[in-house]
Amino acid sequence: MSAAPAHPHQALRKRLSGMNIYLIGMMGAGKSSVGRPLAEALGYRFIDADQVIEAAAGRSIAAMFETDGEEGFRQLETQVLGSIASWHSLVVATGGGVVTRPANWGQLRQGVVVWLDAPEGLLLERLAADPTPRPLMQSLDSGARLRELLQQRRPLYAEADLQVLQDGRAPQAVADQLLAALPAVLKEPPLPPEAPEGPSDPAS
């Protein structure tokens, strides 16, 4: 009976050692759609942080913004992120504003942080086609509002370990690009210490 074929990303999984991969970027950047094939390729579990937040709150993010404001939502987001960070072997699609609270970076830095950087035009196109309510995009001029958020967040997104430029390719193609780029940002495991040489044999 022939042996089972080796996992195509076995070496990368070994180097990750169970570290979570956090996908950051603006709403519409494709974090969830890219995260799923990425997790599947690594044998990881995929988690959408916004869905976990909604489950914890028992209501939608739009409802949270309406009753608790952005600050109330951000506090719960930080709590949920702390819980997620205690798990391992996850690909996590985070909310677009997770980078705005310094406390969140302490959790993100425990894993590998990947910025999916999509151009403004692509983001607007995707957001226009997505019926999901976006509380922070409630504006008569969605383009101006998006530019405002991008200006605030781009320097924070740039703190990621890896930046992957989006150009509208299929999620699987972006996941493949990410898989190819990940090894370059992972630290090499330390070499085991050399065994000291034993005393010479006096009989030799």
Side-chain angles (χ1 to χ4, degrees):
M1 184 176 175
S2 59
H7 190 284
H9 299 289
Q10 190 170 5
L12 179 55
R13 284 183 62 182
K14 187 175 180 181
R15 286 187 61 189
L16 282 166
S17 301
M19 274 196 305
N20 294 338
I21 297 174
Y22 294 98
L23 303 180
I24 65 172
M26 281 296 293
M27 55 191 99
K31 290 163 293 187
S32 292
S33 56
V34 171
R36 289 185 179 90
L38 177 64
E40 185 177 350
L42 289 170
Y44 268 33
R45 182 181 165 205
F46 172 76
I47 283 185
D48 184 317
D50 280 351
Q51 291 181 358
V52 179
I53 293 168
E54 288 184 332
R59 53 205 167 117
S60 70
I61 288 174
M64 277 182 264
F65 266 80
E66 192 172 332
T67 56
D68 306 328
E70 183 176 2
E71 182 57 30
F73 167 75
R74 294 295 173 207
Q75 288 177 4
L76 181 56
E77 182 178 51
T78 296
Q79 292 172 22
V80 166
L81 189 64
S83 297
I84 290 174
S86 68
W87 305 334
H88 65 87
S89 303
L90 301 176
V91 171
V92 183
T94 65
V98 72
V99 296
T100 60
R101 291 194 100 190
N104 294 339
W105 280 98
Q107 311 292 355
L108 297 172
R109 288 285 181 217
Q110 294 179 35
V112 182
V113 186
V114 179
W115 173 21
L116 296 184
D117 182 11
E120 182 184 322
L122 181 60
L123 291 172
L124 279 173
E125 181 183 317
R126 288 176 172 174
L127 290 171
D130 185 355
T132 306
R134 310 278 186 177
L136 290 177
M137 286 295 292
Q138 300 304 311
S139 170
L140 293 175
D141 188 340
S142 56
R145 178 58 178 150
L146 181 65
R147 281 190 292 277
E148 182 185 359
L149 289 171
L150 279 169
Q151 188 174 8
Q152 293 169 3
R153 294 176 180 177
R154 272 188 174 277
L156 300 170
Y157 291 145
E159 297 293 318
D161 300 302
L162 177 63
Q163 177 184 2
V164 177
L165 295 172
Q166 297 269 57
D167 56 9
R169 283 174 300 159
Q172 182 64 60
V174 180
D176 289 342
Q177 180 186 355
L178 210 162
L179 288 164
L182 269 173
V185 300
L186 295 177
K187 293 177 181 176
E188 291 290 345
L191 294 172
E194 291 185 13
E197 293 184 9
S200 56
D201 187 350
S204 61

